[in-house]
Amino acid sequence: FTDNLTRGYTISSNLTYIEPIGKKGQLQFSYAPSFSKNKADQQTFQYDPGDGKYSEFDISQSNKFENIVKTQNGGITYRLGNSRDNQFAVGVNVQQSKLESERIFPTTTFVNKTFSNILPNLQWSRKISPKSSFRLFYRASTNAPSVNQLQDVVNSSNVLLLSSGNPELKQQTSHFLSGRYTFTNTQKGQSLFANIFLQASQDYITNATFRASQDSVIQQGIVLKQGSQLIKPINLDGYKSLRSFLTYSMPVKFIKSNINLNAGFSYSKLPGQVNYVNSVTDNYTYSTGAGLASNINEYIDFNLSYS
């Protein structure tokens, strides 16, 4: 019987000041500090045949863990444009994060890490014609590991597949780029939307798998039996993903309906590790579909779709 109580809170604020520069320019200053504290308390009890209850405390699979993340983030952005459809903005943020982890039980250990990052951002919106426009967006960001990913307690509820956290995890840094093209012809009822999303990450939080070729003693004196596996989160470089989606719609006058055609493609490169040997998993996904929605009158309605 395992009781894993996890709780936490985050306090954050955001202060922004904007100063006009010329007729169409703006200079924006921002400051966003945050404080996050999380606690995880796992208590495990083995079955006691004497009293018929789960009352025998298992110290090897019990753990108390606290995690604090303090972040200071400040930046400056220059924005140029006279409307939302015609605007260009570029900026940079400087961020410092302090990760403090403490194992309170069964033994006491401390992990203190400080990360400094320069996080650029860019946004460009342009109206090409009265019917079409595009938008380009780029942002760099970080993601701290969760308290459960940091908590170094072994979960052996499945004796063939054990898992544990890793207090040595670092924060993940990601770069995200997206593009969007829009075409709308209201007179003919036609519309076209095309989207593409790209992402790459350093220190990506993924899983490492260890397969025991013989009985092996791991943390807290727990024995990993021959043939069993232990899964643990680690940081690895090399994560990449691409997603794209296109949809086109137009009216079909002779049946007073609208037809919608769509297609998409996605790709992801996932780093991993098996028995201390790095691995890569490539995932490819293709999708397409069509839909026909009626617009005959207020009494008749149908919708036919395929994907």
Side-chain angles (χ1 to χ4, degrees), residues 179 193-198 241-247 262-267 285-287:
F193 301 96
N195 299 272
I196 187 169
F197 307 93
L198 300 168
S241 72
L242 179 149
R243 291 184 296 120
S244 61
F245 184 78
L246 184 146
T247 179
N262 64 77
F265 168 74
S266 65
Y267 163 76
T285 303
Y286 307 88
S287 63

Side-chain angles (χ1 to χ4, degrees), residues 95-107:
Q95 177 178 289
Q96 185 179 75
S97 300
K98 188 173 183 180
L99 178 65
E100 301 175 356
S101 300
E102 178 184 4
R103 187 208 301 141
I104 303 171
F105 181 86
T107 58

Side-chain angles (χ1 to χ4, degrees), residues 3-4 17 34 71-72 76 80 88 100-101 115 130 133 139 151 200 204-206 213 218 221 234 257 262 268 279 302:
D3 182 15
N4 193 347
Y17 174 76
S34 67
T71 302
Q72 301 288 337
I76 182 172
L80 180 65
F88 176 79
E100 301 175 356
S101 300
F115 305 97
S133 64
R139 181 184 65 183
Q151 188 181 22
Y204 179 71
I205 300 177
T206 184
S213 58
I218 56 176
I234 60 171
S257 302
N262 64 77
S268 63
S279 63
F302 70 86

